[in-house]
Amino acid sequence: MTATMTFSKGGGASAIMYLYGDAQRRISVQPATDPRLRYAVTTLWQRKGATEDQPSPYVFRDYRYALGAIPADPSLHTRQAAMAKIRTTVRSHGNGGPGTMRWAAYNSSTDSFESVSQSVTRPLPGSFTLYLRADRTIVWYSELLMYDDPDATEVVHVYRGAARSYRPGPQADVVNAGVLGQNLNDWSNLRTDDRLKVSTSCPVTGVRDACGIDNATEGTLRLSEGGAVVAEGTLRPGRGSVELKADVPPGERTYTLHESLTRESSPLAKVSTRLDTVWTFRSATTGAADATARLPLQVVNFMPAGLDDHNRAPKGRATVVPVWVERNAGAPASAPKSLTVEASFDDGATWRNVPVAGTPAAGAVTIRPPSGAANVSLRATATDRSGNAVTQTVIRAYGLA
């Protein structure tokens, strides 16, 4: 058992107490009342004697908070009936190796006061039952940290789950699910007056995941207008992202943003080895010098059904792949116009059109690999009614086995 207690006063001074032991460990605090006080206790439980090589089949992660007081009873009573019971599968993007799962929580009304992250390291891929406190006022977020060396000494890949609350009872979750794709950083991709700011995309897995970090990624980012390069930059391993800033002519024009990324240097990168995205978008002067507008960029997401723990589909069988389009959060709305998908079975040397069943915003494709194929690459093009478009290519989106 690992437990932490956090005390804070008015968002200023704070103290953290770490406790290690078992369920019989006793603690005491001095009760106090003050509208500025905040109190939290969080615990992580797993089977006694669990190790990285012989991990616990379950993990309990609990959290209690109090606002305006340090309670007379500081204890945290963990009961299964109050927990979400989540059958959790953590997939691999390569040859396995260790991964560290960590969780933190916060009260939804005071999101600046969060619990200390607590973690477990386990072999990948693998499954376990995760218990989290189920409460609509408690928001959990998770991270998966992966390493390129077997000793787990340097974090290279960080994939983040979206913040969420849970209901009590049985549920299921898949972490690190293919296709490893792209999302747009919320701190960039905007225009202020006549200054553009754009950045490389961030890695995401699964349906509801948040932006992660992949320090093994390298590549280039280039912004151009009318065939002339406006700004360009190079992403080197270890940097995580690169941002371009450019002063552009006043008025409305069409710009092209080209991102070319590779993960081939990472020994864990057996899927999504290369990602190439070309955005075409309209952008105009924002008006006031301090007015900011989000750029109308889009990304396409894929999530193949029925992949195994190594993100591989069965050979010789068709795979249904849901596909959907997301817009840069806060960008002007524009109705989707078209969505097309292509598949390649020779790492992008040749492509085949795949019919999309659905709408220009979301649908599904059925992939039928030919005999002898080892991987499936995907390419999608999405457009909207305002003339914005994206063509997104993922080489080795998922494997075949």
Side-chain angles (χ1 to χ4, degrees), residues 38-42 61-67 103-117 133 135-142 161-166:
R38 298 176 180 179
Y39 167 84
V41 58
T42 180
R61 188 73 175 84
D62 206 355
Y63 174 69
R64 176 195 174 188
Y65 67 90
L67 304 178
W103 303 268
Y106 62 84
N107 168 250
S108 58
S109 64
T110 57
D111 57 10
S112 62
F113 184 59
E114 64 185 46
S115 71
V116 174
S117 294
R133 170 70 64 171
D135 187 322
R136 61 183 179 81
T137 69
I138 295 176
V139 180
W140 291 96
Y141 62 91
S142 63
R164 66 189 77 173
S165 298
Y166 290 88

Side-chain angles (χ1 to χ4, degrees), residues 45 55 91 112 117 151 169 177 242 257 270 396:
W45 306 78
R91 292 183 185 171
S112 62
S117 294
D151 296 326
V242 64
L257 182 63
K270 303 302 179 184
R396 299 195 177 187

Side-chain angles (χ1 to χ4, degrees), residues 200-262:
T200 47
S201 59
C202 59
V204 291
T205 64
V207 175
R208 297 182 59 193
D209 286 0
C211 270
I213 302 171
D214 196 324
N215 286 320
T217 301
E218 54 188 311
T220 58
L221 183 67
R222 180 180 297 111
L223 177 68
S224 59
E225 188 270 319
V229 175
V230 175
E232 58 185 333
T234 300
L235 177 63
R236 294 182 173 85
R239 289 190 61 183
S241 65
V242 64
E243 185 179 50
L244 305 180
K245 300 177 182 179
D247 294 316
V248 297
E252 184 175 16
R253 300 195 179 198
T254 298
Y255 296 88
T256 299
L257 182 63
H258 184 189
E259 175 184 83
S260 180
L261 305 177
T262 178

Side-chain angles (χ1 to χ4, degrees), residues 319-359:
T319 298
V320 176
V321 181
V323 54
W324 68 99
V325 181
E326 294 184 9
R327 296 183 66 81
N328 189 14
S334 182
K337 182 179 179 181
S338 66
L339 175 61
T340 60
V341 175
E342 300 168 273
S344 173
F345 309 102
D346 52 13
D347 290 350
T350 60
W351 293 92
R352 306 179 185 182
N353 289 322
V354 185
V356 179
T359 72

Side-chain angles (χ1 to χ4, degrees), residues 119-189:
S119 62
V120 295
T121 300
R122 310 174 59 91
L124 300 182
S127 298
F128 63 100
T129 300
L130 171 65
Y131 293 87
L132 295 176
R133 170 70 64 171
D135 187 322
R136 61 183 179 81
T137 69
I138 295 176
V139 180
W140 291 96
Y141 62 91
S142 63
E143 290 184 328
L144 169 63
L145 285 61
M146 295 189 294
Y147 315 84
D148 275 357
D149 62 290
D151 296 326
T153 57
E154 183 178 359
V155 176
V156 177
H157 316 273
V158 181
Y159 301 134
R160 297 187 173 109
R164 66 189 77 173
S165 298
Y166 290 88
R167 57 172 174 78
Q171 293 155 65
D173 192 16
V174 178
V175 180
N176 211 26
V179 172
L180 175 64
Q182 300 153 283
N183 207 340
L184 299 166
N185 284 302
D186 59 8
W187 45 264
S188 188
N189 304 306

Side-chain angles (χ1 to χ4, degrees), residues 307-318:
L307 300 189
D308 66 12
D309 285 353
H310 293 275
N311 284 303
R312 302 173 301 189
K315 282 188 174 181
R317 290 172 54 184

